[in-house]
Amino acid sequence: MLFLTLVVSHIFNRLNLPAVIGQLILGVILGKGVLNVVKADNDVNLFAEIGVILLMFLAGLESNLKLLKKHLVPSITVAIFGVILPVALTLITSLIFGINFKESIFISVVFAATSVSISVEVLKSLNYLSSASGTVILGAAVVDDILAISILSVMSGTLTGAFSMQKILMLLGLWVLFGVLIVVLHKWVIPQIIHLADYIEATQAPTIFALVICFVMAYIADKVQLDAVLGAFVAGIAVSNSKYYKEKIGSNIEAIGYSIFIPVFFISIGLNLEFSSFLKDFWLIVFFTITGVIGKLFGAGFGAKLSGFDLKDSYVIGSGMISRGEMALIIGQIGFSAKLLSEEYYSAVIISVILITIISPFFLKHSISKNPL
């Protein structure tokens, strides 16, 4: 897998295309869809999960906290409109194709989620991550994740009959505590922990401290039913204030991540893609893919325009929000396990999510080429 990652990355870079597209397509070729030589087993999934956590930690390291604060309101606006339009379009599409109302609502939630990990990779490769547009994409993706998880939590409870206001309030309370914990750790705890590296006589002490912080924050976020990648992203922002950041931590974790874990994550997305139901559900997949792209592109783009960005920046932001990736796949799997998504439409939804994920870097690269820094 790693050797083939080098090969496809070289080819796509020579073609002036983001290497991540080649890695996504490689996953489809190696998986169930074509050769079926790599299984998405526990080992691959573990490496992939570590990969996406490290990727989002690196995104946090490279983020500008002042810009994130400055663009907080635009990020929320982009996220809200980036959820409303995809939900509406997917719901209408599902109902037109005769899917029952309960299942249609759940499918629309799957397509509401944004997975910014793919966009982060493209933004990093084009040195666009710390721009105003890149910052809004990151901020909006965090808000988007929280919105999608909130909708999923309420929906799972109401549709399965397990809804309780007490459970919702408890969940909100946990999220508030998590927010307070982030502020406390960011201001007083994490800087002191990283500073301990001055007194530790051990190889790569700052990097090890940073990794510990990354995984602990990812674990806590997961335990309060937020996405682990959100915890990793927040940890990256906190560690970015360290004096070691540019000198040691960033480059070391980049070497660890891109040498093994992050490529496995990108490959893993395509491993479960099957074409057995592709012809049967062809038009449903086509419409889910089209509405999935349009919903985020125009919904998030409109939110950006409403927040004062020009058309070119709005195009970049809308393009950066298209990708669904692991977040939508996780929500789809949860719904399938909870009988909210039937086996009849599960494959069509998953294929559409993967197709959108593969398409999204093309839009983002094109939008940035039209609006260089």
Side-chain angles (χ1 to χ4, degrees):
M1 288 167 70
L2 294 175
F3 174 72
L4 291 174
T5 296
L6 283 178
V7 174
V8 297
S9 297
H10 174 74
I11 292 169
F12 275 73
N13 284 326
R14 289 297 296 269
L15 294 172
N16 201 27
L17 292 170
V20 65
I21 298 171
Q23 294 169 17
L24 291 168
I25 294 170
L26 177 61
V28 175
I29 294 169
L30 294 177
K32 292 179 180 178
V34 184
L35 298 178
N36 198 22
V37 293
V38 178
K39 313 289 184 187
D41 57 16
N42 290 337
D43 294 332
V44 170
N45 289 333
L46 175 61
F47 272 56
E49 190 168 350
I50 293 171
V52 70
I53 285 170
L54 291 179
L55 179 64
M56 292 310 295
F57 182 66
L58 286 167
L61 280 176
E62 295 184 22
S63 296
N64 186 319
L65 187 57
K66 288 181 180 177
L67 270 180
L68 278 170
K69 287 178 179 177
K70 179 182 176 183
H71 294 299
L72 179 62
V73 174
S75 295
I76 293 171
T77 307
V78 166
I80 290 171
F81 283 99
V83 165
I84 292 172
L85 191 57
V87 165
L89 291 177
T90 307
L91 182 60
I92 293 166
T93 301
S94 301
L95 293 173
I96 288 172
F97 276 87
I99 302 173
N100 69 65
F101 187 69
K102 172 181 162 182
E103 196 166 357
S104 295
I105 293 175
F106 179 78
I107 291 171
S108 66
V109 174
V110 174
F111 285 97
T114 292
S115 174
V116 77
S117 52
I118 309 295
S119 299
V120 163
E121 181 61 19
V122 178
L123 290 167
K124 274 168 63 67
S125 67
L126 298 173
N127 298 316
Y128 218 84
L129 191 61
S130 57
S131 66
S133 299
T135 303
V136 169
I137 291 169
L138 284 171
V142 170
V143 177
D144 205 316
D145 272 5
I146 294 170
L147 286 174
I149 293 164
S150 303
I151 295 168
L152 177 64
S153 301
V154 174
M155 213 182 124
S156 296
T158 52
L159 295 182
T160 58
F163 175 77
S164 132
M165 185 54 71
Q166 186 179 356
K167 286 183 180 177
I168 300 301
L169 290 174
M170 193 191 320
L171 194 62
L172 290 173
L174 283 173
W175 292 354
V176 170
L177 283 174
F178 181 70
V180 172
L181 179 66
I182 286 169
V183 173
V184 172
L185 291 175
H186 173 71
K187 282 193 172 182
W188 295 290
V189 180
I190 290 176
Q192 295 303 317
I193 291 173
I194 294 293
H195 184 62
L196 283 175
D198 288 335
Y199 307 100
I200 302 293
E201 292 187 15
T203 305
Q204 302 296 348
T207 304
I208 293 171
F209 274 125
L211 284 171
V212 169
I213 292 164
C214 168
F215 289 125
V216 167
M217 292 298 289
Y219 177 79
I220 293 171
D222 189 58
K223 283 299 174 186
V224 299
Q225 296 181 42
L226 288 168
D227 200 344
V229 299
L230 175 60
F233 176 67
V234 169
I237 292 173
V239 173
S240 69
N241 291 328
S242 161
K243 65 180 180 180
Y244 291 104
Y245 159 52
K246 287 183 182 175
E247 186 182 335
K248 293 180 180 178
I249 294 175
S251 59
N252 287 346
I253 291 180
E254 203 164 82
I256 295 166
Y258 283 97
S259 295
I260 183 164
F261 295 106
I262 294 172
V264 174
F265 162 65
F266 290 131
I267 289 172
S268 72
I269 290 175
L271 290 178
N272 286 319
L273 179 62
E274 290 188 75
F275 294 105
S276 55
S277 64
F278 192 80
L279 292 176
K280 179 173 73 75
D281 296 320
F282 178 77
W283 288 112
L284 180 60
I285 291 167
V286 167
F287 276 88
F288 273 159
T289 304
I290 291 171
T291 55
V293 171
I294 289 174
K296 285 291 182 185
L297 182 64
F298 286 95
F302 176 73
K305 190 76 179 85
L306 208 62
S307 301
F309 286 91
D310 61 26
L311 280 175
K312 287 183 177 179
D313 279 324
S314 299
Y315 179 29
V316 172
I317 292 167
S319 299
M321 297 294 288
I322 290 173
S323 178
R324 302 306 199 274
E326 82 286 345
M327 191 65 200
L329 295 174
I330 289 166
I331 292 175
Q333 186 59 49
I334 291 170
F336 184 66
S337 302
K339 310 295 184 190
L340 297 173
L341 180 60
S342 67
E343 193 172 345
E344 183 181 358
Y345 298 111
Y346 177 74
S347 292
V349 169
I350 297 304
I351 289 171
S352 303
V353 166
I354 293 172
L355 287 175
I356 292 168
T357 305
I358 292 171
I359 290 167
S360 63
F362 289 102
F363 275 92
L364 186 53
K365 186 176 186 301
H366 181 262
S367 65
I368 290 174
S369 70
K370 296 292 181 184
N371 191 34
L373 291 174

